[in-house]
Amino acid sequence: MTQDQETQNVNAVDSGASPVAGEDPEMARILRRETHSSRAGAATIAAVLVIVLCVYALLESGVRAVGQPPWLIDPSTAAERVIALPAGISPLLLGASGAVIAMVGLFFLLHAVLPGRRARHLLRDPRTAVVVDDEVLASALARRARTAANVTQEQVMVVVSRQLVVVNVRPTSGSRVSEEAVRSAVQAELEEMSPVPMPSVRVNLASSGVIGA
């Protein structure tokens, strides 16, 4: 068990909260796969690109070694042109090529650096591991907020992220909605579900109301 896992377990015990089932290393790996996107696709693309470039360079070198004309460009000629950059290439083509290379590099860099978390939360349960989509959480919280605000389904929109729940409410014209009551209701629903990590709640009341039916 890593130091981070030990710290999380100690915090769970100290706070008196029910643990997430399967905090052992094996289940932890399964839960991480369910809550984080796979890097296999990006790694496969990078590997294929590197293999293709290496094979092409090897073939061109072999063709040059036997005295045959190159398939596309001679390796030494290619190296000379790279060294001579930006001579011989129009600024527009050079800028476009640089932008494409920069975007490809940024794509792989972000996949390597960012955590790649999926829109999912874990629910605390001492017996089993529960993974729920953020859309399901948003639906349950929207229902609770709708009841607290006494509005229709179309007047409430909830957005759930890893650390924040944003509740947008458009009250009915002539009807007063308590922002604190909505926040308390949503917070109580969150505490009942106990998602991990526990997000904070922010309520936005629209300045313009909806005409009641």
Side-chain angles (χ1 to χ4, degrees), residues 1-212:
M1 181 178 292
T2 64
Q3 184 177 358
D4 291 341
Q5 290 173 329
E6 292 176 354
T7 303
Q8 292 174 357
N9 291 343
V10 171
N11 292 339
V13 173
D14 291 342
S15 62
S18 301
V20 175
E23 286 183 341
D24 59 281
E26 290 297 329
M27 185 59 71
R29 282 194 288 269
I30 295 175
L31 294 178
R32 181 173 178 81
R33 284 200 300 267
E34 292 295 326
T35 56
H36 291 73
S37 58
S38 174
R39 309 296 176 86
T44 301
I45 294 174
V48 169
L49 290 176
V50 171
I51 291 173
V52 169
L53 290 177
C54 291
V55 170
Y56 171 72
L58 180 63
L59 291 177
E60 286 287 13
S61 300
V63 168
R64 187 173 187 273
V66 298
Q68 297 296 322
W71 289 358
L72 295 179
I73 184 172
D74 184 73
S76 59
T77 304
E80 292 174 358
R81 291 185 179 180
V82 171
I83 295 174
L85 287 176
I89 298 181
S90 65
L92 181 61
L93 179 59
L94 186 64
S97 302
V100 171
I101 295 174
M103 286 188 295
V104 172
L106 182 62
F107 170 79
F108 289 108
L109 177 64
L110 293 179
H111 271 73
V113 174
L114 295 180
R117 295 188 180 93
R118 295 181 179 179
R120 295 176 178 177
H121 276 75
L122 302 178
L123 299 186
R124 289 193 176 276
D125 192 292
R127 298 180 303 276
T128 184
V130 181
V131 181
V132 61
D133 289 339
D134 287 352
E135 293 181 359
V136 178
L137 287 179
S139 178
L141 297 176
R143 184 168 56 252
R144 190 69 173 265
R146 185 167 65 247
T147 302
N150 193 24
V151 295
T152 62
Q153 180 178 356
E154 292 76 15
Q155 294 173 248
V156 176
M157 184 181 68
V158 177
V159 179
V160 177
S161 61
R162 181 173 175 82
Q163 301 292 346
L164 182 64
V165 172
V166 179
V167 183
N168 300 303
V169 181
R170 294 189 64 191
T172 303
S173 298
S175 177
R176 182 179 180 83
V177 175
S178 173
E179 180 178 334
E180 185 60 33
V182 175
R183 180 182 294 106
S184 299
V186 173
Q187 188 65 49
E189 184 74 13
L190 277 175
E191 292 175 358
E192 290 179 7
M193 293 186 291
S194 298
V196 180
M198 175 67 75
S200 58
V201 179
R202 186 174 70 195
V203 178
N204 297 326
L205 294 181
S207 58
S208 59
V210 177
I211 299 176

